[in-house]
Amino acid sequence: MKIQQFKFKESGLNRFFGPLEAKVMECIWHGKQMTIKDVQIALEKDKIVNFNTVMTVMNRLVEKGLLDKYVKGRVSVYQPVLSQQEFLEGQSKELTSELIDEFGLLAVSHMLDAVEEADEELLLLLEQKIKTLKASEEI
């Protein structure tokens, strides 16, 4: 699933979601299966939020393919389609592919610069990944 807008100036989940959507997704990822009321209660630890607002956001996340919804008795229960890790891996892969498709070697060069500046261990992991890819091509 592809998020339509990536916000470079934001951080964390706010890069992919609006502020309330991000908080709802964090709750759902933490709780696994939750009702609207469960999420509302969790969100109200920070700030009072209207039940109908939470319901609207959660149903939009269902429409976007991020949450599944099923009825249990008289209550709707929501659960994430992907784990947070799976979501972030997918978005990262999509973003990286788009950057490389559009900017090619320039994007790769800047990524390598960023990896080198960030952490020597990341650079070693990248070297191992390249060796693995080369070895699989030789087979």
Side-chain angles (χ1 to χ4, degrees):
M1 100 195 33
K2 180 179 175 185
I3 297 297
Q4 296 302 314
Q5 292 185 1
F6 181 84
K7 300 169 213 137
F8 285 98
K9 295 187 181 194
E10 293 289 338
S11 63
L13 292 175
N14 288 341
R15 289 181 187 250
F16 306 102
F17 302 109
L20 188 54
E21 284 180 328
K23 288 177 182 177
V24 167
M25 288 305 298
E26 284 178 9
C27 287
I28 296 283
W29 277 320
H30 182 71
K32 303 295 183 213
Q33 295 182 341
M34 300 179 81
T35 66
I36 296 166
K37 190 69 176 168
D38 294 335
V39 174
Q40 179 192 22
I41 290 168
L43 292 175
E44 286 187 338
K45 290 176 184 171
D46 294 330
K47 177 180 162 184
I48 293 175
V49 61
N50 183 286
F51 179 90
N52 289 333
T53 302
V54 176
M55 179 177 64
T56 299
V57 169
M58 291 175 72
N59 285 323
R60 284 188 185 148
L61 290 167
V62 169
E63 291 169 11
K64 291 178 179 182
L66 294 158
L67 295 179
D68 278 335
K69 173 182 172 180
Y70 66 92
V71 177
K72 184 176 182 181
R74 295 174 53 189
V75 178
S76 293
V77 179
Y78 297 77
Q79 63 188 24
V81 171
L82 301 172
S83 70
Q84 185 172 6
Q85 183 66 31
E86 291 169 331
F87 172 79
L88 292 174
E89 283 179 21
Q91 295 309 306
S92 175
K93 185 174 184 174
E94 183 72 33
L95 182 59
T96 303
S97 293
E98 287 183 15
L99 287 171
I100 290 173
D101 287 348
E102 189 163 340
F103 300 107
L105 183 58
L106 188 59
V108 172
S109 177
H110 288 300
M111 285 180 203
L112 289 172
D113 290 344
V115 166
E116 189 175 39
E117 290 172 18
D119 189 346
E120 189 172 322
E121 191 174 319
L122 274 176
L123 195 55
L124 291 172
L125 289 170
L126 181 59
E127 287 174 354
Q128 290 173 340
K129 178 80 174 177
I130 291 170
K131 286 178 186 176
T132 302
L133 288 171
K134 284 184 176 182
S136 67
E137 286 179 2
E138 293 174 2
I139 294 176

